[in-house]
């Protein structure tokens, strides 16, 4: 099977990109500041993935991998100390019944050689993966994000309110009237957004989590996902009877037994049918299969204390805390670089927290 070479991909360059990115960063910083009062907990809260469910100690093991999958971090066998952070995708601190089921799995590995792509921490030695329990994303350009970020802040309320639902989807589809014809409307993005409403509520350890955006993968281009390989006893999450059902089922499952995920990559085989710059389109598996490149082991552990939530909330995870061989690509990935960094800086400033990468899981979890 022939895979696309990274050096044949040409990033899209739009003349208004930097101005749009500056506006997105300004908006996210403002919403972060406003969250201190809006969320009512006396501290700044993330504008996305605001509610934390727990932080778990983990080990990431890379085995013998055949070419062309033996690239970058996965070029040779190694074992890395790590932590995994679980969170809700929305930027609210509410009962789970008032949030959606879109949830994130953030992975932070320690002791990874090489220079980080984050300019303000080149020697930190950490390597992050940001994943979510859906296959597609709903914004592809800085301009999309600039408009959609405000609409995103209304979720899930806008979609469950009959008086607002139709107008909200109309504003989303037309970028609040800036797209004149149906040919320009954000159909892929709207369908991607609505697909999040179809995610079932299940134990956080039972989901498959996806990068949605693409990355350089050494000589090639890839997406990344994690697939659970261990069963869970507490599968159902009943948010009607328990406002903290995601957290409580995660705590119970973590304390009961070991768990594991396979870390898999899908190499790009066709830029037209597997687009890099449209994260709202799923890459077909018949063009390129998912291949396991590492295993993530989560040993049985107690994460039930408030100190665990504090550690999890203070853990910053960004797709740009990576290495050159795994550079995020596509416009929305470039947007994430500065948005995530500035959001983290502002949140830590407002909360009086020191912004410095930990050196290992014991520093966070003891």
């Amino acid at each position: 099977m022939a895979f696309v070479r990274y050096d044949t991909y040409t990033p899209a360059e739009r003349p208004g990109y930097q101005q749009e990115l500056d506006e997105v960063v300004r908006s996210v910083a403002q919403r972060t500041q406003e969250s201190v009062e809006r969320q009512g907990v006396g501290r700044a809260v993330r504008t996305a993935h605001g509610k934390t469910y727990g932080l778990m100690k983990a080990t990431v093991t890379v085995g013998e991998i055949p070419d062309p999958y033996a690239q970058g971090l996965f070029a040779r066998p190694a074992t890395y100390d790590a932590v995994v952070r679980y969170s809700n995708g929305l930027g609210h601190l509410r009962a789970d019944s008032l949030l959606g089921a879109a949830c994130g799995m953030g992975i932070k590995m320690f002791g990874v050689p090489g220079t980080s792509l984050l300019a303000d921490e080149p020697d930190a030695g950490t390597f992050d993966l940001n994943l979510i329990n859906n296959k597609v994303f709903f914004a592809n350009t800085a301009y999309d994000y600039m408009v959609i970020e405000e609409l995103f802040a209304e979720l899930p309320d806008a979609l469950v309110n009959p008086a607002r639902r139709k107008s909200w989807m109309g504003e989303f589809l037309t970028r609040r009237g800036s797209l004149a014809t149906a040919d320009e409307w954000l159909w892929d993005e709207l369908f991607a957004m609505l697909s999040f409403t179809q995610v079932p509520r299940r134990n956080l350890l039972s989901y498959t989590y996806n990068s949605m955006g693409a990355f350089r993968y050494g000589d090639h281009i890839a997406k990344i996902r994690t697939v659970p390989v261990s069963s869970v006893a507490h599968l159902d999450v009943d948010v009607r009877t328990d406002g903290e059902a995601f957290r409580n089922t995660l705590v119970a499952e973590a304390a009961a037994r070991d768990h594991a995920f396979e870390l898999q990559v899908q190499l790009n085989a066709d830029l037209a049918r597997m687009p890099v710059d449209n994260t709202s389109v799923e890459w077909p598996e018949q063009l390129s299969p998912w291949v396991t490149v590492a295993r993530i082991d989560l040993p049985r552990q107690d994460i039930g204390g408030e100190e665990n939530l504090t550690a999890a909330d203070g853990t910053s995870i960004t797709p740009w805390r990576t290495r050159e061989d795994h550079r995020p690509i596509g416009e929305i990935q470039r947007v994430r670089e500065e948005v995530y960094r500035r959001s983290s800086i502002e949140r830590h400033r407002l909360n009086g927290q020191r912004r410095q990468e930990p050196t290992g899981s014991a520093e966070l979890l003891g």
Side-chain angles (χ1 to χ4, degrees):
M1 182 178 293
F3 297 112
V4 173
R5 303 273 306 179
Y6 170 71
D7 56 15
T8 65
Y9 166 72
T10 302
E13 298 290 343
R14 296 184 304 101
Y17 170 76
Q18 189 59 53
Q19 181 179 353
E20 294 160 8
L21 175 61
D22 292 343
E23 176 60 25
V24 170
V25 171
R26 184 205 64 77
S27 176
V28 169
Q30 179 179 339
R31 289 184 182 280
T32 301
Q33 295 166 11
E34 293 171 351
S35 71
V36 177
E37 181 176 348
R38 185 176 63 249
Q39 298 299 328
V41 293
R43 60 178 173 82
V45 176
R46 292 171 174 84
T47 58
H49 295 275
K51 185 174 183 178
T52 295
Y53 291 128
L55 189 70
M56 296 185 67
K57 176 180 173 55
T59 301
V60 178
T61 304
V62 180
E64 293 282 356
I65 304 167
D67 288 333
Y69 296 91
Q71 306 264 343
L73 179 69
F74 309 100
R76 59 191 61 84
T79 301
Y80 299 100
D81 177 33
V83 292
V84 173
R85 177 182 182 265
Y86 289 102
S87 59
N88 190 281
L90 294 179
H92 306 300
L93 300 182
R94 300 174 173 176
D96 289 339
S97 60
L98 302 177
L99 296 171
C103 294
M105 179 184 189
I107 304 167
K108 184 182 293 294
M109 289 176 269
F110 302 99
V112 176
T115 302
S116 174
L117 292 186
L118 280 184
D120 53 355
E121 49 178 70
D123 303 317
T126 46
F127 186 108
D128 293 356
L129 292 172
N130 289 66
L131 311 172
I132 199 163
N133 58 350
N134 203 20
K135 297 177 181 179
V136 289
F137 193 56
F138 49 80
N140 290 297
T141 69
Y143 194 84
D144 290 346
Y145 198 98
M146 182 170 63
V147 176
I148 291 171
E149 195 267 338
E150 293 184 3
L151 294 171
F152 179 79
E154 292 188 47
L155 296 178
D157 304 13
L159 293 181
V160 298
N161 180 355
R164 175 59 174 142
R165 185 187 305 124
K166 186 176 180 179
S167 60
W168 186 95
M169 288 195 288
E171 290 178 31
F172 187 109
L173 188 62
T174 65
R175 277 208 209 115
R176 285 193 162 155
S178 66
L179 300 176
T181 67
D183 289 341
E184 299 176 295
W185 292 351
L186 304 180
W187 293 106
D188 287 343
E189 290 83 349
L190 179 62
F191 291 143
M193 172 65 82
L194 295 178
S195 73
F196 281 89
T197 67
Q198 305 304 309
V199 176
R201 287 182 169 88
R202 298 206 315 255
N203 192 294
L204 293 164
L205 290 164
S206 71
Y207 287 120
T208 293
Y209 295 87
N210 297 267
S211 65
M212 299 183 293
F215 295 81
R216 177 181 181 180
Y217 194 78
D219 296 332
H220 301 286
I221 295 169
K223 288 188 177 182
I224 300 170
R225 75 177 185 182
T226 58
V227 179
V229 294
S230 50
S231 61
V232 297
H234 309 86
L235 178 62
D236 295 330
V237 173
D238 187 354
V239 299
R240 296 168 300 176
T241 59
D242 182 0
E244 300 300 322
F246 277 118
R247 163 76 173 161
N248 290 336
T249 53
L250 176 66
V251 169
E253 196 64 45
R257 58 190 59 80
D258 299 341
H259 291 86
F261 289 81
E262 287 184 348
L263 181 63
Q264 300 180 337
V265 299
Q266 183 186 29
L267 296 184
N268 193 301
D270 184 335
L271 284 175
R273 298 172 66 187
M274 305 173 76
V276 168
D277 291 291
N278 187 346
T279 60
S280 303
V281 174
E282 183 181 350
W283 287 7
E285 289 190 47
Q286 61 266 32
L287 295 182
S288 177
W290 289 94
V291 173
T292 298
V293 297
R295 178 182 171 96
I296 305 168
D297 285 291
L298 301 160
R300 176 181 175 182
Q301 56 195 283
D302 178 8
I303 62 169
E306 284 298 315
E307 70 281 358
N308 182 272
L309 288 177
T310 299
D313 190 66
T315 300
S316 173
I317 296 179
T318 166
W320 284 87
R321 193 172 280 119
T322 185
R323 305 295 179 268
E324 179 57 43
D325 275 345
H326 301 290
R327 172 181 291 271
I329 57 176
E331 183 170 320
I332 199 62
Q333 292 280 59
R334 298 200 306 274
V335 170
R336 283 174 172 146
E337 177 180 13
E338 188 60 10
V339 167
Y340 280 47
R341 191 183 75 87
R342 292 290 297 276
S343 174
S344 175
I345 290 171
E346 187 66 11
R347 192 175 64 257
H348 281 77
R349 181 188 69 81
L350 291 167
N351 293 340
Q353 297 171 320
R354 186 182 181 189
R355 186 174 176 269
Q356 180 174 333
E357 279 294 276
T359 58
S361 60
E363 186 175 331
L364 292 169
L365 297 171

